Amino acid sequence: MKTLSTLTSCFLLALAGLLAPMTGAAQGPLFARVANYNPGASWVKAVAVGDVDNDGQMDIVTANQGTANTVTVLLGQSSGGFARSLQLPSGNGTRDVALADVNGDGRLDIFTAADYASAVGVLLSQAGGGFAPVVLYSTGLASSPRSLALGDVNGDGWLDLVVATGGDIVVMPGLAGGMFASAVHYSTGVGSSPRGLALGDLNGDGRLDVVTADFASNSAAVLLGQAGGTLGPAATFPVAAEPTSIALGDLNGDGRPDLLVSHDAISSYSVSVLYAQASGGYSLQQYYNDGSSFDVAAADFNGDGHLDIVAVDPAYHVHVLLWQAPNTFSPPTQYTAGTFPNDVAVADVNGDGQPDVVTANNNGGTIGVLLNLTPVPPPVLRSVSPASGPVGTVVTLTGSYLSRASAVQFNGAAAAQVTAVSASQLTVVVPAGAISGTVTVTTPSGAATSAGTFTVSAPLASAGPRAAMLGVHPNPARGQVRLTVPSVAHERQLFIVDAVGRTVAQQLVQPHTSAVVLSLAGLPVGVYSVQCEAARARLLIE
């Protein structure tokens, strides 16, 4: 296993003078000093990140309130950084922004919460570049849209708009052509005042559920998706005072999404963590009075395979709390972000495989970008299972710091398919030309070689030209996809892998099963690979 050289260590120490100031530096990840970009508006309320112009570079879209009431598009540059490209009217009181392809044309569209207009603004991307004029969809009289998200809530294959209005939750069912049906309202409790929301499959039934941060009732509400495409009644769970935003993530590795809630009570800017219980429901087990508030997210910033917490406070800072052990996080490490950061997004904006932090700096009228420079340790490879098999065998590699694997070799023969399941596990398909011997995993931080050998055996007698085929119906697909797989007498894993080799969905296929229905909820538009042992196919999500 390789280690950082003395020269590299000295370089990092010298670089420290150029990095963002922070407290508790021994515990926190390494971020470059914040780079601020001007979206051309004085009140920047929210930010979203995505490849708007399909050039392979991440772009930034901002929601600008005040006198602007616009969205700004800052395009990512191949040389690094961002350049302001467009500023578009987006509805009176623009407060939140989201990106998604709702009409299946392969381009990201823009969605805004138009607070003062009691509406959601939709700006559809155009084939020749740019966006169509904003179309407003009413969220109901006297409503005050605060935040929004998109997902196929009713399971019809079209993305729906979900909005926290400050009074209730509104779902606008998606229609063909990027249009939306009339708003359907769901209560989170009398006087609850939902501010933030998030979507995810909380109970593993394949349907999207909605969670909200309810400012006035000091609670988080969970509305489970129902078989008929509606939402069930709200179940509420107490949190600290004045919750404003909410995020989902499996923080303790038990396979169940947990809840992260931020608070902006003047006396205690803070983050609450509610862990999902095996019997259902959530338990408030941790509360961090760390000076952060307004918005919160989860990401693995130091490459250890565990989700960390990031939040923003009104006093110019981003706070990062690193995972330490199940149900435990480190004290916050603080980084300067800009004037009055109001919203945070996490994305790999420079394509180096590390999650970066982007903030909307409300009073300063800027966007802050903090690039993640945390050195990821070299990989560790502990086991290879099974230890033998023919070409096409799916092999599981277990170890540490494996999520950025760029290549896997069987005694010098490169594996054709590499799937990162987590930082502690990879699956690879034994490639044609593989030779019996050690297995080596290579990442940008170094390489690790197995202690034992993998034996490449003769092909199975039953293998034939159609053994490596998968049926995908429909294709292109949205919402869900039906996969037909070769029926065999043993269990196997089915994976959906994105264009950079990351596993984005997986499901266990039972013995003697020849068809599987897999949810595509939350997956961006794009081209994916579907893999089940030696069988594979191309999947287009629209």
Side-chain angles (χ1 to χ4, degrees), residues 19-31 301-303 308-309 318-324 330-335 372-375:
L19 302 178
M22 55 187 173
T23 60
Q27 299 182 43
L30 197 65
F31 285 99
F301 290 107
N302 59 358
D308 310 307
I309 300 172
V318 165
H319 298 253
V320 175
L321 295 81
L322 291 180
W323 185 95
Q324 287 188 325
S330 72
T333 304
Q334 181 174 292
Y335 306 85
N372 188 353
L373 306 180
T374 306

PDB file of all heavy atoms in Angstrom, residues 19-31 301-303 308-309 318-324 330-335 372-375:
ATOM      1  N   LEU A  19      -5.542  27.907   1.770  1.00  0.00           N
ATOM      2  CA  LEU A  19      -6.788  27.193   1.983  1.00  0.00           C
ATOM      3  C   LEU A  19      -7.714  27.955   2.891  1.00  0.00           C
ATOM      4  O   LEU A  19      -7.321  28.867   3.609  1.00  0.00           O
ATOM      5  CB  LEU A  19      -6.492  25.806   2.555  1.00  0.00           C
ATOM      6  CG  LEU A  19      -5.575  24.944   1.670  1.00  0.00           C
ATOM      7  CD1 LEU A  19      -5.321  23.622   2.348  1.00  0.00           C
ATOM      8  CD2 LEU A  19      -6.159  24.767   0.299  1.00  0.00           C
ATOM      9  N   ALA A  20      -8.989  27.557   2.876  1.00  0.00           N
ATOM     10  CA  ALA A  20     -10.002  28.242   3.662  1.00  0.00           C
ATOM     11  C   ALA A  20      -9.667  28.180   5.146  1.00  0.00           C
ATOM     12  O   ALA A  20      -9.311  27.129   5.656  1.00  0.00           O
ATOM     13  CB  ALA A  20     -11.360  27.602   3.407  1.00  0.00           C
ATOM     14  N   PRO A  21      -9.782  29.309   5.876  1.00  0.00           N
ATOM     15  CA  PRO A  21      -9.555  29.281   7.321  1.00  0.00           C
ATOM     16  C   PRO A  21     -10.549  28.336   7.969  1.00  0.00           C
ATOM     17  O   PRO A  21     -11.695  28.240   7.561  1.00  0.00           O
ATOM     18  CB  PRO A  21      -9.815  30.728   7.746  1.00  0.00           C
ATOM     19  CG  PRO A  21      -9.727  31.534   6.499  1.00  0.00           C
ATOM     20  CD  PRO A  21     -10.135  30.626   5.389  1.00  0.00           C
ATOM     21  N   MET A  22     -10.105  27.614   8.987  1.00  0.00           N
ATOM     22  CA  MET A  22     -11.004  26.697   9.647  1.00  0.00           C
ATOM     23  C   MET A  22     -10.548  26.440  11.061  1.00  0.00           C
ATOM     24  O   MET A  22      -9.398  26.641  11.409  1.00  0.00           O
ATOM     25  CB  MET A  22     -11.092  25.373   8.876  1.00  0.00           C
ATOM     26  CG  MET A  22      -9.766  24.687   8.623  1.00  0.00           C
ATOM     27  SD  MET A  22      -9.965  23.259   7.548  1.00  0.00           S
ATOM     28  CE  MET A  22      -8.254  22.825   7.286  1.00  0.00           C
ATOM     29  N   THR A  23     -11.495  26.004  11.906  1.00  0.00           N
ATOM     30  CA  THR A  23     -11.184  25.591  13.254  1.00  0.00           C
ATOM     31  C   THR A  23     -11.233  24.079  13.309  1.00  0.00           C
ATOM     32  O   THR A  23     -11.928  23.442  12.516  1.00  0.00           O
ATOM     33  CB  THR A  23     -12.192  26.179  14.242  1.00  0.00           C
ATOM     34  OG1 THR A  23     -13.499  25.710  13.882  1.00  0.00           O
ATOM     35  CG2 THR A  23     -12.180  27.689  14.212  1.00  0.00           C
ATOM     36  N   GLY A  24     -10.499  23.479  14.217  1.00  0.00           N
ATOM     37  CA  GLY A  24     -10.489  22.018  14.304  1.00  0.00           C
ATOM     38  C   GLY A  24      -9.935  21.390  13.053  1.00  0.00           C
ATOM     39  O   GLY A  24     -10.413  20.381  12.577  1.00  0.00           O
ATOM     40  N   ALA A  25      -8.854  22.010  12.477  1.00  0.00           N
ATOM     41  CA  ALA A  25      -8.363  21.591  11.167  1.00  0.00           C
ATOM     42  C   ALA A  25      -7.914  20.145  11.128  1.00  0.00           C
ATOM     43  O   ALA A  25      -7.929  19.516  10.083  1.00  0.00           O
ATOM     44  CB  ALA A  25      -7.223  22.508  10.737  1.00  0.00           C
ATOM     45  N   ALA A  26      -7.518  19.586  12.267  1.00  0.00           N
ATOM     46  CA  ALA A  26      -7.049  18.202  12.267  1.00  0.00           C
ATOM     47  C   ALA A  26      -8.173  17.233  11.963  1.00  0.00           C
ATOM     48  O   ALA A  26      -7.937  16.117  11.521  1.00  0.00           O
ATOM     49  CB  ALA A  26      -6.438  17.870  13.627  1.00  0.00           C
ATOM     50  N   GLN A  27      -9.419  17.661  12.184  1.00  0.00           N
ATOM     51  CA  GLN A  27     -10.550  16.765  11.981  1.00  0.00           C
ATOM     52  C   GLN A  27     -11.256  17.000  10.650  1.00  0.00           C
ATOM     53  O   GLN A  27     -11.897  16.112  10.133  1.00  0.00           O
ATOM     54  CB  GLN A  27     -11.563  16.953  13.112  1.00  0.00           C
ATOM     55  CG  GLN A  27     -11.022  16.630  14.486  1.00  0.00           C
ATOM     56  CD  GLN A  27     -12.087  16.800  15.528  1.00  0.00           C
ATOM     57  OE1 GLN A  27     -13.224  16.403  15.335  1.00  0.00           O
ATOM     58  NE2 GLN A  27     -11.740  17.395  16.641  1.00  0.00           N
ATOM     59  N   GLY A  28     -11.165  18.197  10.136  1.00  0.00           N
ATOM     60  CA  GLY A  28     -11.993  18.544   8.999  1.00  0.00           C
ATOM     61  C   GLY A  28     -11.360  18.219   7.666  1.00  0.00           C
ATOM     62  O   GLY A  28     -10.156  17.996   7.557  1.00  0.00           O
ATOM     63  N   PRO A  29     -12.168  18.146   6.604  1.00  0.00           N
ATOM     64  CA  PRO A  29     -11.624  17.984   5.258  1.00  0.00           C
ATOM     65  C   PRO A  29     -10.907  19.252   4.823  1.00  0.00           C
ATOM     66  O   PRO A  29     -10.993  20.286   5.469  1.00  0.00           O
ATOM     67  CB  PRO A  29     -12.884  17.730   4.413  1.00  0.00           C
ATOM     68  CG  PRO A  29     -13.985  18.379   5.175  1.00  0.00           C
ATOM     69  CD  PRO A  29     -13.625  18.243   6.626  1.00  0.00           C
ATOM     70  N   LEU A  30     -10.192  19.184   3.727  1.00  0.00           N
ATOM     71  CA  LEU A  30      -9.388  20.280   3.224  1.00  0.00           C
ATOM     72  C   LEU A  30     -10.130  20.937   2.069  1.00  0.00           C
ATOM     73  O   LEU A  30     -10.390  20.304   1.045  1.00  0.00           O
ATOM     74  CB  LEU A  30      -8.031  19.732   2.758  1.00  0.00           C
ATOM     75  CG  LEU A  30      -6.882  20.705   2.555  1.00  0.00           C
ATOM     76  CD1 LEU A  30      -6.467  21.345   3.869  1.00  0.00           C
ATOM     77  CD2 LEU A  30      -5.694  19.950   1.952  1.00  0.00           C
ATOM     78  N   PHE A  31     -10.472  22.217   2.216  1.00  0.00           N
ATOM     79  CA  PHE A  31     -11.141  22.955   1.158  1.00  0.00           C
ATOM     80  C   PHE A  31     -10.271  24.124   0.719  1.00  0.00           C
ATOM     81  O   PHE A  31      -9.609  24.766   1.543  1.00  0.00           O
ATOM     82  CB  PHE A  31     -12.487  23.516   1.623  1.00  0.00           C
ATOM     83  CG  PHE A  31     -13.571  22.482   1.734  1.00  0.00           C
ATOM     84  CD1 PHE A  31     -13.896  21.924   2.957  1.00  0.00           C
ATOM     85  CD2 PHE A  31     -14.266  22.064   0.617  1.00  0.00           C
ATOM     86  CE1 PHE A  31     -14.890  20.974   3.070  1.00  0.00           C
ATOM     87  CE2 PHE A  31     -15.257  21.109   0.711  1.00  0.00           C
ATOM     88  CZ  PHE A  31     -15.577  20.561   1.943  1.00  0.00           C
ATOM     89  N   PHE A 301     -17.238  13.675   2.573  1.00  0.00           N
ATOM     90  CA  PHE A 301     -16.216  14.646   2.194  1.00  0.00           C
ATOM     91  C   PHE A 301     -14.789  14.115   2.298  1.00  0.00           C
ATOM     92  O   PHE A 301     -13.895  14.638   1.651  1.00  0.00           O
ATOM     93  CB  PHE A 301     -16.348  15.912   3.056  1.00  0.00           C
ATOM     94  CG  PHE A 301     -17.575  16.720   2.749  1.00  0.00           C
ATOM     95  CD1 PHE A 301     -18.645  16.739   3.624  1.00  0.00           C
ATOM     96  CD2 PHE A 301     -17.673  17.436   1.571  1.00  0.00           C
ATOM     97  CE1 PHE A 301     -19.780  17.477   3.335  1.00  0.00           C
ATOM     98  CE2 PHE A 301     -18.805  18.174   1.268  1.00  0.00           C
ATOM     99  CZ  PHE A 301     -19.863  18.186   2.153  1.00  0.00           C
ATOM    100  N   ASN A 302     -14.546  13.115   3.124  1.00  0.00           N
ATOM    101  CA  ASN A 302     -13.180  12.646   3.316  1.00  0.00           C
ATOM    102  C   ASN A 302     -12.928  11.248   2.769  1.00  0.00           C
ATOM    103  O   ASN A 302     -11.873  10.667   3.015  1.00  0.00           O
ATOM    104  CB  ASN A 302     -12.793  12.705   4.802  1.00  0.00           C
ATOM    105  CG  ASN A 302     -13.709  11.852   5.674  1.00  0.00           C
ATOM    106  OD1 ASN A 302     -14.665  11.249   5.174  1.00  0.00           O
ATOM    107  ND2 ASN A 302     -13.432  11.809   6.957  1.00  0.00           N
ATOM    108  N   GLY A 303     -13.881  10.695   2.023  1.00  0.00           N
ATOM    109  CA  GLY A 303     -13.666   9.444   1.312  1.00  0.00           C
ATOM    110  C   GLY A 303     -13.590   8.211   2.170  1.00  0.00           C
ATOM    111  O   GLY A 303     -13.062   7.186   1.739  1.00  0.00           O
ATOM    112  N   ASP A 308     -21.065  12.557   5.854  1.00  0.00           N
ATOM    113  CA  ASP A 308     -20.803  13.634   6.791  1.00  0.00           C
ATOM    114  C   ASP A 308     -21.902  14.685   6.654  1.00  0.00           C
ATOM    115  O   ASP A 308     -22.742  14.616   5.744  1.00  0.00           O
ATOM    116  CB  ASP A 308     -19.429  14.251   6.497  1.00  0.00           C
ATOM    117  CG  ASP A 308     -18.342  13.199   6.385  1.00  0.00           C
ATOM    118  OD1 ASP A 308     -18.233  12.392   7.322  1.00  0.00           O
ATOM    119  OD2 ASP A 308     -17.620  13.180   5.368  1.00  0.00           O
ATOM    120  N   ILE A 309     -21.908  15.664   7.540  1.00  0.00           N
ATOM    121  CA  ILE A 309     -22.937  16.706   7.561  1.00  0.00           C
ATOM    122  C   ILE A 309     -22.313  18.045   7.186  1.00  0.00           C
ATOM    123  O   ILE A 309     -21.222  18.382   7.668  1.00  0.00           O
ATOM    124  CB  ILE A 309     -23.589  16.812   8.955  1.00  0.00           C
ATOM    125  CG1 ILE A 309     -24.259  15.489   9.341  1.00  0.00           C
ATOM    126  CG2 ILE A 309     -24.600  17.955   9.009  1.00  0.00           C
ATOM    127  CD1 ILE A 309     -24.754  15.458  10.774  1.00  0.00           C
ATOM    128  N   VAL A 318     -19.548  27.930   6.487  1.00  0.00           N
ATOM    129  CA  VAL A 318     -19.965  26.550   6.257  1.00  0.00           C
ATOM    130  C   VAL A 318     -19.401  25.722   7.400  1.00  0.00           C
ATOM    131  O   VAL A 318     -18.259  25.921   7.819  1.00  0.00           O
ATOM    132  CB  VAL A 318     -19.420  26.024   4.909  1.00  0.00           C
ATOM    133  CG1 VAL A 318     -19.523  24.507   4.838  1.00  0.00           C
ATOM    134  CG2 VAL A 318     -20.171  26.646   3.749  1.00  0.00           C
ATOM    135  N   HIS A 319     -20.212  24.790   7.927  1.00  0.00           N
ATOM    136  CA  HIS A 319     -19.773  23.899   8.998  1.00  0.00           C
ATOM    137  C   HIS A 319     -19.825  22.464   8.491  1.00  0.00           C
ATOM    138  O   HIS A 319     -20.817  22.048   7.906  1.00  0.00           O
ATOM    139  CB  HIS A 319     -20.690  24.023  10.219  1.00  0.00           C
ATOM    140  CG  HIS A 319     -20.689  25.386  10.833  1.00  0.00           C
ATOM    141  ND1 HIS A 319     -20.086  25.662  12.021  1.00  0.00           N
ATOM    142  CD2 HIS A 319     -21.223  26.558  10.409  1.00  0.00           C
ATOM    143  CE1 HIS A 319     -20.245  26.944  12.317  1.00  0.00           C
ATOM    144  NE2 HIS A 319     -20.927  27.494  11.342  1.00  0.00           N
ATOM    145  N   VAL A 320     -18.756  21.699   8.742  1.00  0.00           N
ATOM    146  CA  VAL A 320     -18.704  20.293   8.363  1.00  0.00           C
ATOM    147  C   VAL A 320     -18.510  19.455   9.623  1.00  0.00           C
ATOM    148  O   VAL A 320     -17.597  19.704  10.421  1.00  0.00           O
ATOM    149  CB  VAL A 320     -17.573  20.015   7.362  1.00  0.00           C
ATOM    150  CG1 VAL A 320     -17.472  18.517   7.070  1.00  0.00           C
ATOM    151  CG2 VAL A 320     -17.811  20.782   6.067  1.00  0.00           C
ATOM    152  N   LEU A 321     -19.406  18.469   9.817  1.00  0.00           N
ATOM    153  CA  LEU A 321     -19.318  17.532  10.932  1.00  0.00           C
ATOM    154  C   LEU A 321     -19.037  16.150  10.345  1.00  0.00           C
ATOM    155  O   LEU A 321     -19.855  15.597   9.613  1.00  0.00           O
ATOM    156  CB  LEU A 321     -20.616  17.503  11.735  1.00  0.00           C
ATOM    157  CG  LEU A 321     -21.028  18.784  12.476  1.00  0.00           C
ATOM    158  CD1 LEU A 321     -21.715  19.779  11.532  1.00  0.00           C
ATOM    159  CD2 LEU A 321     -21.971  18.452  13.624  1.00  0.00           C
ATOM    160  N   LEU A 322     -17.880  15.609  10.641  1.00  0.00           N
ATOM    161  CA  LEU A 322     -17.470  14.334  10.066  1.00  0.00           C
ATOM    162  C   LEU A 322     -18.039  13.155  10.846  1.00  0.00           C
ATOM    163  O   LEU A 322     -18.097  13.185  12.081  1.00  0.00           O
ATOM    164  CB  LEU A 322     -15.946  14.224  10.048  1.00  0.00           C
ATOM    165  CG  LEU A 322     -15.197  15.154   9.092  1.00  0.00           C
ATOM    166  CD1 LEU A 322     -13.702  14.905   9.203  1.00  0.00           C
ATOM    167  CD2 LEU A 322     -15.658  14.966   7.654  1.00  0.00           C
ATOM    168  N   TRP A 323     -18.430  12.107  10.108  1.00  0.00           N
ATOM    169  CA  TRP A 323     -18.853  10.850  10.734  1.00  0.00           C
ATOM    170  C   TRP A 323     -17.685  10.280  11.529  1.00  0.00           C
ATOM    171  O   TRP A 323     -16.544  10.223  11.056  1.00  0.00           O
ATOM    172  CB  TRP A 323     -19.281   9.872   9.655  1.00  0.00           C
ATOM    173  CG  TRP A 323     -19.841   8.578  10.170  1.00  0.00           C
ATOM    174  CD1 TRP A 323     -21.148   8.280  10.354  1.00  0.00           C
ATOM    175  CD2 TRP A 323     -19.113   7.388  10.516  1.00  0.00           C
ATOM    176  NE1 TRP A 323     -21.287   6.992  10.802  1.00  0.00           N
ATOM    177  CE2 TRP A 323     -20.056   6.417  10.928  1.00  0.00           C
ATOM    178  CE3 TRP A 323     -17.764   7.063  10.538  1.00  0.00           C
ATOM    179  CZ2 TRP A 323     -19.683   5.147  11.329  1.00  0.00           C
ATOM    180  CZ3 TRP A 323     -17.387   5.792  10.952  1.00  0.00           C
ATOM    181  CH2 TRP A 323     -18.349   4.852  11.342  1.00  0.00           C
ATOM    182  N   GLN A 324     -17.953   9.843  12.757  1.00  0.00           N
ATOM    183  CA  GLN A 324     -16.909   9.254  13.592  1.00  0.00           C
ATOM    184  C   GLN A 324     -17.191   7.789  13.930  1.00  0.00           C
ATOM    185  O   GLN A 324     -16.287   6.967  13.954  1.00  0.00           O
ATOM    186  CB  GLN A 324     -16.755  10.052  14.893  1.00  0.00           C
ATOM    187  CG  GLN A 324     -16.087  11.403  14.683  1.00  0.00           C
ATOM    188  CD  GLN A 324     -15.777  12.094  15.984  1.00  0.00           C
ATOM    189  OE1 GLN A 324     -16.514  11.989  16.960  1.00  0.00           O
ATOM    190  NE2 GLN A 324     -14.685  12.839  15.999  1.00  0.00           N
ATOM    191  N   SER A 330     -18.260  14.352  14.520  1.00  0.00           N
ATOM    192  CA  SER A 330     -17.238  15.191  15.137  1.00  0.00           C
ATOM    193  C   SER A 330     -17.794  16.577  15.451  1.00  0.00           C
ATOM    194  O   SER A 330     -18.827  16.981  14.901  1.00  0.00           O
ATOM    195  CB  SER A 330     -16.053  15.344  14.186  1.00  0.00           C
ATOM    196  OG  SER A 330     -16.416  16.185  13.094  1.00  0.00           O
ATOM    197  N   PRO A 331     -17.111  17.335  16.316  1.00  0.00           N
ATOM    198  CA  PRO A 331     -17.442  18.753  16.439  1.00  0.00           C
ATOM    199  C   PRO A 331     -17.280  19.431  15.077  1.00  0.00           C
ATOM    200  O   PRO A 331     -16.492  18.973  14.235  1.00  0.00           O
ATOM    201  CB  PRO A 331     -16.402  19.273  17.447  1.00  0.00           C
ATOM    202  CG  PRO A 331     -15.979  18.067  18.201  1.00  0.00           C
ATOM    203  CD  PRO A 331     -16.027  16.929  17.215  1.00  0.00           C
ATOM    204  N   PRO A 332     -18.008  20.513  14.827  1.00  0.00           N
ATOM    205  CA  PRO A 332     -17.970  21.130  13.499  1.00  0.00           C
ATOM    206  C   PRO A 332     -16.635  21.793  13.191  1.00  0.00           C
ATOM    207  O   PRO A 332     -15.994  22.369  14.067  1.00  0.00           O
ATOM    208  CB  PRO A 332     -19.093  22.175  13.569  1.00  0.00           C
ATOM    209  CG  PRO A 332     -19.225  22.477  15.024  1.00  0.00           C
ATOM    210  CD  PRO A 332     -18.952  21.200  15.734  1.00  0.00           C
ATOM    211  N   THR A 333     -16.214  21.662  11.941  1.00  0.00           N
ATOM    212  CA  THR A 333     -15.099  22.427  11.395  1.00  0.00           C
ATOM    213  C   THR A 333     -15.687  23.551  10.560  1.00  0.00           C
ATOM    214  O   THR A 333     -16.603  23.332   9.768  1.00  0.00           O
ATOM    215  CB  THR A 333     -14.191  21.544  10.534  1.00  0.00           C
ATOM    216  OG1 THR A 333     -13.746  20.431  11.311  1.00  0.00           O
ATOM    217  CG2 THR A 333     -12.998  22.311  10.028  1.00  0.00           C
ATOM    218  N   GLN A 334     -15.153  24.744  10.702  1.00  0.00           N
ATOM    219  CA  GLN A 334     -15.774  25.943  10.144  1.00  0.00           C
ATOM    220  C   GLN A 334     -14.936  26.498   8.993  1.00  0.00           C
ATOM    221  O   GLN A 334     -13.709  26.563   9.082  1.00  0.00           O
ATOM    222  CB  GLN A 334     -15.897  26.980  11.256  1.00  0.00           C
ATOM    223  CG  GLN A 334     -16.552  28.292  10.864  1.00  0.00           C
ATOM    224  CD  GLN A 334     -16.735  29.165  12.088  1.00  0.00           C
ATOM    225  OE1 GLN A 334     -17.523  28.849  12.968  1.00  0.00           O
ATOM    226  NE2 GLN A 334     -15.982  30.242  12.144  1.00  0.00           N
ATOM    227  N   TYR A 335     -15.624  26.900   7.915  1.00  0.00           N
ATOM    228  CA  TYR A 335     -14.975  27.461   6.737  1.00  0.00           C
ATOM    229  C   TYR A 335     -15.707  28.740   6.331  1.00  0.00           C
ATOM    230  O   TYR A 335     -16.930  28.796   6.353  1.00  0.00           O
ATOM    231  CB  TYR A 335     -15.016  26.476   5.563  1.00  0.00           C
ATOM    232  CG  TYR A 335     -14.456  25.119   5.884  1.00  0.00           C
ATOM    233  CD1 TYR A 335     -15.253  24.142   6.487  1.00  0.00           C
ATOM    234  CD2 TYR A 335     -13.140  24.808   5.600  1.00  0.00           C
ATOM    235  CE1 TYR A 335     -14.736  22.890   6.794  1.00  0.00           C
ATOM    236  CE2 TYR A 335     -12.622  23.558   5.901  1.00  0.00           C
ATOM    237  CZ  TYR A 335     -13.423  22.607   6.495  1.00  0.00           C
ATOM    238  OH  TYR A 335     -12.907  21.377   6.805  1.00  0.00           O
ATOM    239  N   ASN A 372     -13.161  20.843  -2.802  1.00  0.00           N
ATOM    240  CA  ASN A 372     -12.700  19.856  -1.837  1.00  0.00           C
ATOM    241  C   ASN A 372     -11.326  19.320  -2.269  1.00  0.00           C
ATOM    242  O   ASN A 372     -11.201  18.676  -3.309  1.00  0.00           O
ATOM    243  CB  ASN A 372     -13.712  18.716  -1.756  1.00  0.00           C
ATOM    244  CG  ASN A 372     -13.412  17.730  -0.647  1.00  0.00           C
ATOM    245  OD1 ASN A 372     -12.382  17.794   0.005  1.00  0.00           O
ATOM    246  ND2 ASN A 372     -14.329  16.805  -0.439  1.00  0.00           N
ATOM    247  N   LEU A 373     -10.306  19.598  -1.464  1.00  0.00           N
ATOM    248  CA  LEU A 373      -8.944  19.162  -1.759  1.00  0.00           C
ATOM    249  C   LEU A 373      -8.465  18.073  -0.801  1.00  0.00           C
ATOM    250  O   LEU A 373      -7.271  17.793  -0.726  1.00  0.00           O
ATOM    251  CB  LEU A 373      -7.983  20.354  -1.688  1.00  0.00           C
ATOM    252  CG  LEU A 373      -8.322  21.570  -2.548  1.00  0.00           C
ATOM    253  CD1 LEU A 373      -7.283  22.657  -2.357  1.00  0.00           C
ATOM    254  CD2 LEU A 373      -8.426  21.189  -4.009  1.00  0.00           C
ATOM    255  N   THR A 374      -9.387  17.465  -0.065  1.00  0.00           N
ATOM    256  CA  THR A 374      -9.010  16.475   0.943  1.00  0.00           C
ATOM    257  C   THR A 374      -8.260  15.308   0.311  1.00  0.00           C
ATOM    258  O   THR A 374      -8.781  14.656  -0.602  1.00  0.00           O
ATOM    259  CB  THR A 374     -10.263  15.937   1.658  1.00  0.00           C
ATOM    260  OG1 THR A 374     -11.006  17.031   2.171  1.00  0.00           O
ATOM    261  CG2 THR A 374      -9.867  15.013   2.796  1.00  0.00           C
ATOM    262  N   PRO A 375      -7.033  15.024   0.773  1.00  0.00           N
ATOM    263  CA  PRO A 375      -6.330  13.848   0.237  1.00  0.00           C
ATOM    264  C   PRO A 375      -7.049  12.561   0.659  1.00  0.00           C
ATOM    265  O   PRO A 375      -7.311  12.357   1.842  1.00  0.00           O
ATOM    266  CB  PRO A 375      -4.947  13.932   0.890  1.00  0.00           C
ATOM    267  CG  PRO A 375      -4.824  15.321   1.421  1.00  0.00           C
ATOM    268  CD  PRO A 375      -6.219  15.752   1.759  1.00  0.00           C
TER     269      PRO A 375
END
